[in-house]
Amino acid sequence: MQAYKDLVKALPGLKENMPRAFYMLAELFDYGSFDICRSDDKYIIPYIMNDAVECYLTVENAVLKGDYQSEEEIISASLVLGSEKGYGLILHQQDNVITLWFDNLHVHEACFKYHEIGHFWVKGQEQWRMLVYMVGTIADKYMYMGKEYCNETECFIQSLIYFAPFRRWTPVPGDLMEYHFPARVEGIDIMEELCREVSDIDYLKLIARYRANPCEKTEKLLSRHLADAKRVPLYQYIYKLVIKASKDYPERNYGNQINERIKEKRKALEKELLQKGYTGKYPVFSKKNTTVRVMEEQPYVTAILEWDDYKYKQQLMVSECSAKKYDGINAGFFKGIGRHGRIVQV
C-alpha cells in the first residue's frame, strides 16, 4: 500500500485515518485503472483481478448521478463528505461530471490456485510464455496486495518478471509488461540464482554479459537461448517453483451446478485420453514419448467483472520428445531434433 502523501495527490479528499478500502480506491486513480461495474442496484469497483487473486470493492447504499462511461478517460477525481450520504466520489470525464454517493466501502478478496491455468494467445515457445504469464500474475498480486498475501515461494519467484530476456516470451500480443515491470537488477540476481541451482554454467556466462551490457541486442540473445534444449532443466526448475507456490491455494468455487459441470468435463477428457492409450490422471497423461498436460482457462468467480465471451476452456499441451537426456515437463516445446510441442484446443 502506497503512502498517504502520494495517494492524496491521486484522490484529493482522502484522509490519513480512513480505512484501507479508501487507500485502495486512491491507488486505482494513481494507476489509472479505476472503473465501476454495475449489476442491478449493486456497484463493484475492481481492484485486482487475475488468475491468482480476485479483489474488488463494493459500495454500500450507492447512488450514481451522471452518465459514467467506462471507455472514457477520467480527467480528475476527488472525495468529499456528503450530507445525504456519507461520501461522494466526484469524477470528471471530458465535459461530463459524475458523482457516486455512498455510505461505505467494503473490500472483498480471495486467492486461488493458478498453476494449471494456461493462456495461449501467441504461437511458439508456449512453455515459456505460460511461465511468464504465471510469474507476472504472482508479481501483480505481490505489487497490488502486498507480500502478506504471498507465500515465501511467491515472494521469491515474483522478481523473475524483472528479467527482461525472460519477459520477452510474453503470451500477450502488444503487451505492456515492459512498462508495468521494467527491467531491474533483482531480475538478473534471481535468474543467476536459478541457474546455479541447476548448474547451467553456459547461461550464467550469458547473464554476466547481459549484466555488463543490458542492451536490447544482448537481451534478445539471452531470450533466444531460453528456447534451446539446454534450458530444459532451468525451465523445469522454475515451473516446479511456480507449482509449489500455487498448489496450496483453493480452486475457484462457482457453486454446485457449475462446479459439477467442470468436474464432468474433466472426467470426460480423462476418459477420452485413457481410451486412446494414455496413462495417468487429470491433468497429466503420457504415452510412449508423448506427454499431455491439460491447462484450463477459468472465468472469475465474480461473474460481473468477467468479459462477456470468456468461458471455461480446456487446452492440451502436447509434448513429444525422443531426446531422453532432457525429457520431462514440456521438454518437446524446446528447439531441437526429435522435439515437437503443440497446443490442442478441446
Side-chain angles (χ1 to χ4, degrees), residues 89 173 175 212 246 336 341:
L89 181 63
D175 188 43
S246 162

Side-chain angles (χ1 to χ4, degrees), residues 250-277:
E251 290 191 2
R252 281 177 162 80
N253 183 353
Y254 300 99
N256 291 338
Q257 187 176 2
I258 298 177
N259 288 346
E260 284 302 315
R261 266 188 280 164
I262 291 174
K263 286 180 182 178
E264 288 171 7
K265 285 180 175 289
R266 290 170 177 170
K267 288 179 182 178
L269 182 56
E270 180 176 287
K271 182 178 179 181
E272 180 183 345
L273 289 171
L274 293 177
Q275 288 175 343
K276 290 181 178 180

Side-chain angles (χ1 to χ4, degrees), residues 69 82 91 106 108 112 140 195 216 224 235 243 246 257 275 300-301 306:
Q69 299 293 324
L91 310 174
H106 301 282
H108 303 260
F112 300 103
D140 256 341
C195 285
E216 187 175 10
R224 287 198 304 271
Y235 164 80
I243 292 172
S246 162
Q257 187 176 2
Q275 288 175 343
Y300 298 141
V301 173
E306 188 57 85

Side-chain angles (χ1 to χ4, degrees), residues 10 29 72-78 90-96:
F29 291 108
E72 284 191 16
E73 180 186 2
I74 295 174
I75 298 172
S76 67
S78 59
I90 302 174
L91 310 174
H92 290 261
Q93 293 182 310
Q94 298 298 332
D95 298 326
N96 192 21

Side-chain angles (χ1 to χ4, degrees), residues 29-53:
F29 291 108
D30 188 47
Y31 290 130
S33 55
F34 174 85
D35 196 10
I36 305 173
C37 301
R38 182 175 181 175
S39 177
D40 298 324
D41 61 346
K42 186 177 183 180
Y43 293 91
I44 295 179
I45 301 171
Y47 180 71
I48 173 174
M49 305 290 292
N50 66 25
D51 288 332
V53 60

Side-chain angles (χ1 to χ4, degrees), residues 127-272:
Q127 82 288 10
W128 278 117
R129 297 186 192 280
M130 178 184 71
L131 275 192
V132 171
Y133 192 87
M134 290 180 180
V135 173
T137 294
I138 298 168
D140 256 341
K141 181 169 77 164
Y142 184 90
M143 177 188 296
Y144 280 86
M145 301 299 293
K147 63 182 181 180
E148 61 269 26
Y149 286 82
C150 299
N151 57 43
E152 184 178 353
T153 307
E154 287 175 316
C155 290
F156 169 71
I157 201 66
Q158 62 86 26
S159 61
L160 184 59
I161 202 65
Y162 299 101
F163 184 65
F166 168 75
R167 198 180 58 229
R168 288 188 76 91
W169 290 112
T170 172
V172 183
D175 188 43
L176 296 176
M177 201 170 276
E178 183 178 357
Y179 171 78
H180 197 51
F181 300 116
R184 298 205 305 229
V185 173
E186 58 261 43
I188 299 175
D189 293 342
I190 185 176
M191 185 56 94
E192 284 182 331
E193 185 173 344
L194 294 167
C195 285
R196 284 193 288 268
E197 288 292 329
V198 295
S199 301
D200 193 335
I201 305 303
D202 290 343
Y203 204 70
L204 275 170
K205 292 177 181 177
L206 289 172
I207 294 173
R209 286 176 56 184
Y210 179 66
R211 186 187 286 276
N213 182 27
C215 64
E216 187 175 10
K217 182 178 179 181
T218 314
E219 177 187 318
K220 288 181 178 179
L221 174 68
L222 268 73
S223 188
R224 287 198 304 271
H225 274 274
L226 286 175
D228 294 346
K230 290 181 180 179
R231 302 287 92 76
V232 172
L234 175 63
Y235 164 80
Q236 292 176 347
Y237 183 67
I238 297 171
Y239 192 13
K240 287 175 181 176
L241 285 176
V242 170
I243 292 172
K244 179 183 178 183
S246 162
K247 65 182 179 63
D248 291 334
Y249 288 109
E251 290 191 2
R252 281 177 162 80
N253 183 353
Y254 300 99
N256 291 338
Q257 187 176 2
I258 298 177
N259 288 346
E260 284 302 315
R261 266 188 280 164
I262 291 174
K263 286 180 182 178
E264 288 171 7
K265 285 180 175 289
R266 290 170 177 170
K267 288 179 182 178
L269 182 56
E270 180 176 287
K271 182 178 179 181
E272 180 183 345

